[in-house]
Amino acid sequence: MFHIMRRIFASLPFASVLIGLAGQPAALVLPPTLAACFLLIRDRIIRRRVGLAAWPSDGFARHVLVDDLGWLICLTLLGLPLFLLGAMLRSLVLAG
């Protein structure tokens, strides 16, 4: 469950470049939105598995959520210049 987020986070910059190559700026919000939905669902699953355990287990679930949300925010902000890079590549390909 924890290893899939590395793959999702690694794919977000590539998705931004591909969206820039496609020239669809409105689609730029889709990958981070889907990743955030997955994060929230995963948090619910972790908290359900914790159940009535001690507070440290709940603290671990919060730590995982906050850490992943921090990475998601950073990668979303990194996606904006990568989108512009993809858009510039698209204009170069179409002009040449």
Side-chain angles (χ1 to χ4, degrees):
M1 181 182 303
F2 296 107
H3 299 289
I4 194 164
M5 287 313 299
R6 291 181 187 160
R7 292 183 180 108
I8 290 173
F9 287 153
S11 67
L12 287 176
F14 295 117
S16 297
V17 173
L18 290 175
I19 292 169
L21 284 171
Q24 299 294 323
L28 193 58
V29 298
L30 283 177
T33 304
L34 293 174
C37 288
F38 181 77
L39 278 175
L40 293 176
I41 290 170
R42 189 183 72 156
D43 180 59
R44 288 285 106 203
I45 291 171
I46 291 172
R47 288 179 189 263
R48 213 174 290 137
R49 286 185 182 174
V50 167
L52 298 174
W55 273 102
S57 297
D58 192 46
F60 172 73
R62 287 181 184 166
H63 167 73
V64 169
L65 178 67
V66 169
D67 185 51
D68 287 342
L69 285 175
W71 275 105
L72 181 62
I73 290 169
C74 290
L75 289 172
T76 302
L77 292 175
L78 176 70
L80 297 173
L82 291 175
F83 168 78
L84 293 174
L85 176 72
M88 284 190 286
L89 288 173
R90 180 176 192 260
S91 65
L92 285 174
V93 168
L94 291 177

